[in-house]
Amino acid sequence: MADQSPKTCVPLTVLAEDEQLFYASVLEFADKRIRPLVREMDEHAKAPRSLIDELFGLGVMGIEIPETFGGAGATFFHSVLAVEALSRVDPAIGLLVDVQNTLVSNALMRWGTDDMKRRYLPALATKSVGAYALSEAGSGSDAFAMAARATERDGGYAINGRKLWISNAVEADVFIVFANVNPEAGYRGITAFVVERGTPGFTVGQKEDKLGIRASSTCELLFEDCTVPKTQVLGEVGKGYKVAIETLNEGRIGIGAQMIGLSRGALVHAVAYTKERKQFGKAISDFQAVQFQLAQAATELEAARLLVYNAARLRDARKPFLQEAAMCKLFSSQVAEHVTSLAVQLYGGYGYVKDYPVEKLFRDAKVGQIYEGTSNMQLQTIAKTLIS
Ligand SMILES: Cc1cc2nc3c(=O)[nH]c(=O)nc-3n(C[C@H](O)[C@H](O)[C@H](O)COP(=O)(O)OP(=O)(O)OC[C@H]3O[C@@H](n4cnc5c(N)ncnc54)[C@H](O)[C@@H]3O)c2cc1C
């Protein structure tokens, strides 16, 4: 006889108790501790170190790092929840936490030697910010065409070259840096290194003056005969392309989380404002045209959230998620552009000035279509999975 017992199938958006508590505590922190600083951080393009220290204290800088190394020993999904909650209030802080967890600690946990894990994971969980340096001036979407070189010298490697657009560069102590040890082998020469701030020959260059996520630092890195011992190779020599591809496949789910977080932030503001703002003798939320615009935005956001959560859950379940990760980033960044634009629209003239929060979220949204693989690169990945 067929099994009649009810099947348990947890809906994607139903969070486990610990996930609910975690999300609520990060959101409360964002509301109380980050919200009052958002405008100033945006204007000065800087996140104060005291706030970063509080993020360490909150336990969101080493979410997946095992407890034995001082981290929270939680899941990738928890990282997604943290980035989402923080990005509701400030997507620049969402990115800082995203890079730390989904790229830097993630790569070290997966590819680092035991010695590396002992040296870096406890610091990353408690006090050190990390950065991930792949892009260069001449190689963005075509990242593996990088010009940075690493040559064997004195029992180690001398790194020469420049990296561009590196998030967290001002604050970071630990940098994952990609360089080619054997250009003739093409991408099979690419190698990942862990480089510490202060290593001779390594300097952090100019900071970019950006449209959005201004409190997240984005800088050039310069390497001039920066010599590191062989023990600083992350993963295998010549396998850096694998480190990059696999971490970025996961990292882009984090960007999806940033996009749904900021979209939610904008939508919450838009709903509240339309209920308050009166024209023609009534709240503008009483007009059906406005209601339908809000309803459309809420629907798109829910669809994006499902894509992001599904990709993250697949990753934690160790199931394939390449296509789902690309879709979630592609779609959530499109939704973010639409929802934040609508929020500005519904605020009218007040949406166009810095005194209200939606102008910033509108500026912050655009980068979701650019970094960790542009929208065209996501489409390329999705298309490959369809036709291969
Ligand atoms: C704020 C910010 C933070 C960043 N942080 C980091 C970081 O921490 N670490 C890091 O390594 N990088 C970082 N980046 C770099 C980012 O990943 C690159 O900007 C991105 O990969 C795009 O590369 P690009 O800017 O060189 O654009 P390009 O690759 O030159 O692309 C320009 C345009 O051409 C299109 N295009 C290119 N090739 C194709 C193709 N084959 N088919 C169709 N269209 C194509 C793209 O979609 C895009 O619209 C950051 C960027 C920004 C803006």
Side-chain angles (χ1 to χ4, degrees), residues 95 99 103 131-143 163-168 178 208 210 212-213 216-218 248 367 369-377 380:
L95 183 72
V99 170
L103 296 180
Y132 187 90
L134 177 67
S135 306
E136 298 181 3
S139 58
S141 299
D142 190 11
K163 295 287 169 184
L164 200 63
W165 312 116
I166 307 311
S167 301
N168 295 358
F178 294 84
E208 303 297 337
K210 304 195 298 295
I213 56 161
S216 159
S217 64
T218 313
L248 287 170
V367 76
Q369 297 172 9
I370 298 172
Y371 55 20
E372 296 208 26
T374 64
S375 292
N376 276 355
M377 292 300 104
Q380 193 180 77

Side-chain angles (χ1 to χ4, degrees), residues 130-184:
Y132 187 90
L134 177 67
S135 306
E136 298 181 3
S139 58
S141 299
D142 190 11
F144 296 158
M146 67 182 64
R149 299 286 176 255
T151 32
E152 274 198 70
R153 189 178 302 166
D154 304 331
Y157 286 93
I159 305 172
N160 279 286
R162 287 165 172 233
K163 295 287 169 184
L164 200 63
W165 312 116
I166 307 311
S167 301
N168 295 358
V170 165
E171 300 82 12
D173 290 314
V174 180
F175 296 74
I176 295 180
V177 179
F178 294 84
N180 200 319
V181 298
N182 181 12
E184 271 141 50

Side-chain angles (χ1 to χ4, degrees), residues 358-372:
V358 291
E359 175 267 351
K360 176 182 180 296
L361 293 172
F362 178 59
R363 285 187 283 112
D364 289 345
K366 183 63 203 175
V367 76
Q369 297 172 9
I370 298 172
Y371 55 20
E372 296 208 26

Side-chain angles (χ1 to χ4, degrees), residues 48 69 118 132 139 200 231 259 283 304 343:
F69 290 116
R118 269 193 301 274
Y132 187 90
S139 58
T231 48
M259 292 296 116

Side-chain angles (χ1 to χ4, degrees), residues 5 52 66 78 81 87 98 140 150 162-163 167 208 226 267 284 286 322-323 329 350 359 373:
S5 61
I52 297 172
H78 284 88
L81 290 176
S87 302
D98 174 66
R162 287 165 172 233
K163 295 287 169 184
S167 301
E208 303 297 337
C226 168
L267 186 61
I284 58 172
D286 286 344
L322 175 66
Q323 187 194 60
K329 192 207 175 244
Y350 300 98
E359 175 267 351

